Amino acid sequence: MDSNHTQIQAELDGLIGRTALVSDVVSPHRIAALAATLDTDAPADGTVPPLWHWVLFQDWQKWSTLGPDGHAARGEFMPAIAGMERRMWAGSAVTFHRSLRVGEAVERRSSIAGATLKQGRTGTLAFIQLRHDIGPAGETAITELQDVVYRAADDPAVSAAVPEPVPPAARTRSVMPDALTLFRYSAVTGNSHRIHYDYEYVTGVEHYPGLVVQGALQATWLADFARTCRNQAPIRAFAFRARRAVFQGKALTLAAIDGPDGLDLTLRDSSGAVCMAGTAR
């Protein structure tokens, strides 16, 4: 590792332990809006399905404070890393101790649990691991370990696709990530990252071939499919890892197969490449 990498790693080490606290109420309107976006119905008993908590704790910053990519400017809780202008959600491991309920007042207690510099297939990457404890004051209903990856603006945006056949025993479902769904999901989750709705920006500035499907939306589709495969049995833990970018306009294939630790899940693009892998138990 060269001296620049050593300096960046030292700066990352200094982030560990940084904390933040935000509050919200589980709004029936947001839950209903997400249900409509997913073309389904919200649970009649007022419980919040797995991963639907991502509509909470939205951070609406003034337009003048946003970065060119639409994200809130770094430097407060989430760091600014010199030479790494792009930021993406790489994966999460979520434990559900109990379901949130519509109308509950909740908090998200966040901390930076880890920060590591790595060499990836597309260049140097910085991984920030966040821990979120979510629930009413004094209680944790959901624990989420979230990995956020930073990369340089000029690193290649898309890795080569390597098709992987769906196992013959897998159950499958097809979903279509059209531009309207991406826009509505960004709106209901308060996500202003321009790669999900601004075609001129995503193709002209970040050099992707089209609008990028939110990793959170992909994971939510997988979690919903897992519940269907498990006959609506509760999901106690869900983990996912993004492998490559997914783009709007072509059908995606969700696949589920029983594994040693629960249900093994994958999301494939139209080329057959696995773009996200996960587990539900």
Side-chain angles (χ1 to χ4, degrees):
M1 183 176 293
D2 60 30
S3 59
N4 184 53
H5 283 200
T6 301
Q7 180 181 350
I8 294 174
Q9 183 62 63
E11 293 174 358
L12 295 179
D13 291 342
L15 300 172
I16 297 174
R18 182 181 289 186
T19 62
L21 174 67
V22 291
S23 301
D24 205 348
V25 174
V26 184
S27 162
H29 305 294
R30 288 189 196 167
I31 297 301
L34 179 56
T37 299
L38 299 174
D39 199 26
T40 188
D41 297 312
D45 63 1
T47 58
V48 176
L51 307 187
W52 287 31
H53 68 282
W54 288 333
V55 301
L56 302 174
F57 312 111
Q58 297 181 15
D59 184 19
W60 286 85
Q61 299 282 338
K62 291 181 179 178
W63 181 90
S64 58
T65 67
L66 299 178
D69 60 359
H71 271 310
R74 286 75 151 172
E76 295 184 5
F77 178 67
M78 291 303 296
I81 302 176
M84 296 187 180
E85 295 84 1
R86 304 286 184 250
R87 189 179 83 189
M88 300 288 287
W89 190 344
S92 282
V94 189
T95 302
F96 302 97
H97 308 289
R98 72 162 176 86
S99 298
L100 298 180
R101 301 189 65 84
V102 168
E104 277 192 303
V106 291
E107 297 178 340
R108 185 181 69 192
R109 301 169 291 278
S110 302
S111 62
I112 296 181
T116 308
L117 203 60
K118 295 183 180 181
Q119 191 65 32
R121 290 175 298 175
T122 60
T124 303
L125 307 172
F127 286 87
I128 307 296
Q129 186 180 67
L130 309 176
R131 179 187 173 106
H132 302 300
D133 292 295
I134 299 166
E139 179 191 354
T140 298
I142 299 171
T143 301
E144 178 173 0
L145 299 178
Q146 179 183 2
D147 289 321
V148 178
V149 61
Y150 290 67
R151 67 174 179 85
D154 56 355
D155 283 347
V158 184
S159 59
V162 180
E164 298 180 40
V166 176
R171 287 158 284 184
T172 61
R173 174 190 290 178
S174 180
V175 294
M176 174 58 74
D178 59 84
L180 178 58
T181 300
L182 269 60
F183 167 76
R184 293 183 73 182
Y185 189 80
S186 283
V188 75
T189 56
N191 182 355
S192 58
H193 196 181
R194 292 170 66 178
I195 63 173
H196 304 307
Y197 58 86
D198 187 334
Y199 187 83
E200 291 185 1
Y201 172 83
V202 74
T203 56
V205 177
E206 299 213 13
H207 306 298
Y208 287 108
L211 297 177
V212 179
V213 182
Q214 298 92 336
L217 176 57
Q218 297 174 53
T220 301
W221 276 327
L222 286 175
D224 177 70
F225 183 45
R227 292 174 69 217
T228 299
C229 293
R230 291 160 54 97
N231 296 317
Q232 303 304 315
I235 292 176
R236 301 303 180 192
F238 185 90
F240 71 93
R241 175 66 58 177
R243 292 192 182 178
R244 67 189 310 271
V246 180
F247 305 100
Q248 56 88 206
K250 294 184 179 180
L252 307 174
T253 299
L254 313 180
I257 191 166
D258 292 323
D261 298 318
L263 202 61
D264 291 335
L265 302 156
T266 54
L267 179 147
R268 288 168 168 80
D269 63 15
S270 59
S271 76
V274 173
C275 301
M276 179 172 286
T279 57
R281 57 179 177 82

